[in-house]
């Protein structure tokens, strides 16, 4: 049972990586539109002069709800990182989750 789950996770990551690698372009950093776990990565990328896409999930004021984030989870866009952010997608299509690994 656990082995089948692992194989399905590997398949999702492989498919996502292949699709992203074909797209090319600068790396994309995904996180909420707030300071937090991705802020240090944003600062490092900026100081290094790296061009990157800063993809932010907007948080609705007063509700702490992020509809775009929920949609990304539902559509499987974040499956490769167990539906969590921050997430960095490199130019080569590699997917890096966890803020310390990104830094």
């Amino acid at each position: 049972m656990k082995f089948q789950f692992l194989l399905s996770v590997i398949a999702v990551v492989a498919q996502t990586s292949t699709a992203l690698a074909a797209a090319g372009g600068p790396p994309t950093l995904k996180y909420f539109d707030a300071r937090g776990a991705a802020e240090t990565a944003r600062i490092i990328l900026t100081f290094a002069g790296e061009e990157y896409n800063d993809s932010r999930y907007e948080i609705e004021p007063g509700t702490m709800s992020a509809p775009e984030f929920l949609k990304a989870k539902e559509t499987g866009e974040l499956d490769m990182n167990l539906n969590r952010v921050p997430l960095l997608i490199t130019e080569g299509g590699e997917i890096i989750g966890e803020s310390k690994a990104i830094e």
Side-chain angles (χ1 to χ4, degrees):
M1 185 73 159
K2 290 180 183 180
F3 183 71
Q4 290 175 333
F5 174 74
L6 181 60
L7 287 178
S8 64
V9 169
I10 291 170
V12 167
V13 170
Q15 289 172 348
T16 306
S17 294
T18 302
L20 292 170
T28 299
L29 180 63
K30 296 184 177 204
Y31 194 64
F32 299 103
D33 188 16
R35 293 181 185 168
E39 194 64 20
T40 303
R42 288 178 182 140
I43 292 168
I44 290 170
L45 288 166
T46 300
F47 280 150
E50 283 290 322
E51 180 183 342
Y52 72 101
N53 296 320
D54 191 4
S55 177
R56 297 182 183 217
Y57 297 109
E58 186 175 338
I59 300 170
E60 293 181 351
T63 64
M64 294 303 291
S65 175
E68 293 175 21
F69 175 70
L70 295 174
K71 183 179 177 183
K73 284 173 58 172
E74 291 170 1
T75 60
E77 183 180 328
L78 303 174
D79 282 352
M80 73 290 289
N81 195 39
L82 303 174
N83 290 322
R84 297 177 297 175
V85 290
L87 185 69
L88 179 71
I89 305 168
T90 68
E91 294 170 338
E94 294 176 87
I95 299 163
I96 304 170
E98 301 298 324
S99 57
K100 295 301 178 195
I102 293 169
E103 294 168 11

